[in-house]
Amino acid sequence: MTDSSRLNGRWLLTFARGGAPVEPGFHPLAQEWRNIAIRESRLGIPVGQPILVSDALVDYRLGDYFRMAFRADQRSTAETYAIELRVWLNFLDARRLCSWYDASHREVRAFQTWRVYSEDNPGRVAPSTWNKGLQALKHFYSWTTREGITDENPVLDRHELSARGGVGPHREKNARFSRDRWLTPLEYRLWRDVGLRGYAMVRAETGNLVPGQAASSSRSRNTARNTAFVDFGLTTGLRREELGTLLTFELPSAVDEEVPIVGKGNVYRHYRAVHRVGLESLADYFRGERRDAVRRGLKAGRYELSPDRLIAEVLDTRRGQHVRLADGRVLGLPGLPASERARLLIEGEQGIEPAWLWLSDAGVPLRPESWDDVFQAANHRVTAGRRAHGVQSPWVTVTPHSLRFTFALFVLLAGVRAIDTELGIGPAEPFFVRNYSQAFDEVRDLLGHSSTVTTRKHYLEPVKGLRTLKFLRAGSLTEMWDELRTSSPVVGFKGI
């Protein structure tokens, strides 16, 4: 959910930051809280836990919910639910309806009407977005009911019919997926170069909008870092949390080199880059912006000030990559919690530096959720450019997950083309899906799915329902993408 769709109000959403150093002389009050990481650790509050506070109180029950109702590997889900809960809490306060623990299905219905239909709400959301938020409320109140905090779950209607195939009383029936979830190669380049790199948007002789020269008025920052993130994400298919918590020595050195990783659900698997563009962008980031960020961090003494830093030495063992800490402990990298990853410091070419791959201007680890703001800013720039060129429906919504969806289609199309070449199958010959099971299996493995059911149902939706997948008979990958964009309504930007 974007910032523009959130209701401003009393409730503030922040996160447990862990051992963020307090620079000397910053503020006396900040010095008093320099051991906040130790206090949070004693209370069982992990780094990254959402914290919802209002200007009137800190409700410990909300803190208990985020600490107790989510597994350690559900950090991204907890963050998403916290955003939704903040909108709900601010709605109740703004309307002076009731406290969250006294809410009934009547308040939920009023919230739905305002959220989806009310003309007084400039940030109305689509039915699919409402349904996702509804799931957050259902989860929250299921926990509060189980814990005895509330008497019943207001999201559930006691008189709700349980007929198979029916929908709940607050669930929107007309939800649909976003069209902008899969990008063609040309659209990705436009979004990246205009949105992240500050290029101007121009209309080519073909009528397509394309990136032009770097705009002299552009104020884009961290362009190499942001470009590396999206290029590497597009060519690996990693989730935001997986990509956003990588360490500098967990990267492949070549295309198709497999690297171990523990993904969603603590599942051990391998990932690899399927194209050199991601690795090349990473190299540019290391040579320039990351080196400069580390230098600023060293100059400010940030790494020496960190109270809970973990000085580590990288080890290569037969069991995989490990690190040895200063106290002699040896930790395996796959599965190492993000909170500990962010504390790892290693010896670099300039001295001690964070092992965390993605750094802020100040040289400190960039939290995975911070990438949402980067993507949102890029979406605004591209939308503004499309509007300036007279596109009737200029709005663009690209998320880190969009790259993962697009990666899946890219791998499928490339796999089909490779199988055609290997078997000597020409464009004029009939298409038999059974010949390409290997291509679907490869997409499943690279995404880390346990079966192809999830892969085909969600990530390869654009090919679902296309008669015999005839678009795969196009003569080249570019033609395949063009045919797919024409045939499927869920591929590509809206408008012209």
Side-chain angles (χ1 to χ4, degrees), residues 60-71:
Y60 72 91
R61 293 166 295 188
L62 298 176
D64 287 346
Y65 166 66
F66 290 112
R67 187 171 67 253
M68 299 168 59
F70 297 90
R71 300 191 310 268

Side-chain angles (χ1 to χ4, degrees), residues 216-232:
S216 58
S217 60
S218 173
R219 298 181 180 179
S220 298
R221 300 170 56 190
N222 299 303
T223 56
R225 182 199 67 191
N226 298 343
T227 299
F229 184 89
V230 298
D231 281 349
F232 198 61

Side-chain angles (χ1 to χ4, degrees), residues 431 433 462-473 487:
F431 182 90
V433 176
V463 306
K464 185 172 58 179
L466 296 184
R467 187 177 181 183
T468 67
L469 303 184
K470 287 184 177 180
F471 76 96
L472 295 174
R473 276 288 164 269
S487 304

Side-chain angles (χ1 to χ4, degrees), residues 68-85:
M68 299 168 59
F70 297 90
R71 300 191 310 268
D73 62 327
Q74 291 182 305
R75 175 176 167 180
S76 179
T77 303
E79 176 197 342
T80 300
Y81 283 15
I83 293 172
E84 300 292 347
L85 281 177

Side-chain angles (χ1 to χ4, degrees), residues 332-397:
L333 290 179
L336 192 67
S339 58
E340 294 189 27
R341 286 171 167 265
R343 296 163 54 194
L344 287 176
L345 298 173
I346 58 175
E347 189 66 32
E349 61 180 26
Q350 303 181 76
I352 193 171
E353 66 176 53
W356 195 270
L357 174 58
W358 311 107
L359 302 181
S360 68
D361 284 340
V364 296
L366 189 71
R367 292 169 52 85
E369 55 270 18
S370 299
W371 288 107
D372 292 342
D373 295 331
V374 174
F375 276 69
Q376 186 181 60
N379 290 334
H380 288 332
R381 294 189 190 102
V382 177
T383 296
R386 283 162 55 84
R387 182 182 291 112
H389 280 278
V391 177
Q392 293 181 352
S393 184
W395 298 278
V396 169
T397 303

